[in-house]
Amino acid sequence: ASCGAKQVVHKDLNIHPEAAPYVASFEDKAGIKIDDLKVTFSELPASQANVLGYCQQGTRTKKEVTASGVVNHIYKTPLIVLNTRWWNNNTSFSLADKEQLVYHELGHCVLNRPHTNSTSSIMY
């Protein structure tokens, strides 16, 4: 027996149907299976009108004390928010643009890639 806290990791997969084909394509091309991700849409405020999307990473831990001891609940699910102002503008935002946007945000949220100065990189 141990007096240390037990850890329970919570995972969630909730991908908006419009983004799902791009996530599946990313998985195929990267040779990975994503099991912990949320992708949603939001009309971002006018002050963020030029933001096409963003990745919100982070781990949240909730401690729970029970009769049998302490349990740390760890919530790790990354969140991608896509801006509906851009996504739904069919005249200037192509399918290839949508794919690049989702791939870019998956680069942050899934592969932990930062922005780069290389203009040839999707992480530029």
Side-chain angles (χ1 to χ4, degrees), residues 47-67:
S47 63
Q48 294 180 314
N50 291 329
V51 175
L52 285 84
Y54 64 88
C55 165
Q56 180 180 331
Q57 288 182 313
T59 299
R60 182 173 57 90
T61 303
K62 176 184 166 193
K63 229 178 242 298
E64 178 182 42
V65 180
T66 67

Side-chain angles (χ1 to χ4, degrees), residues 36-108:
D36 195 19
L37 176 69
K38 290 184 181 181
V39 181
T40 189
F41 286 87
S42 179
E43 188 168 316
L44 300 180
S47 63
Q48 294 180 314
N50 291 329
V51 175
L52 285 84
Y54 64 88
C55 165
Q56 180 180 331
Q57 288 182 313
T59 299
R60 182 173 57 90
T61 303
K62 176 184 166 193
K63 229 178 242 298
E64 178 182 42
V65 180
T66 67
S68 58
V70 177
V71 177
N72 288 327
H73 292 271
I74 302 169
Y75 300 85
K76 299 175 81 169
T77 303
L79 168 68
I80 293 175
V81 178
L82 302 171
N83 189 344
T84 55
R85 291 177 198 254
W86 287 94
W87 193 270
N88 293 328
N89 184 355
N90 295 327
T91 59
S92 65
F93 206 58
S94 70
L95 294 177
D97 292 332
K98 291 177 180 182
E99 179 182 74
Q100 285 192 346
L101 171 58
V102 174
Y103 282 19
H104 176 90
E105 297 307 333
L106 287 167
H108 289 307

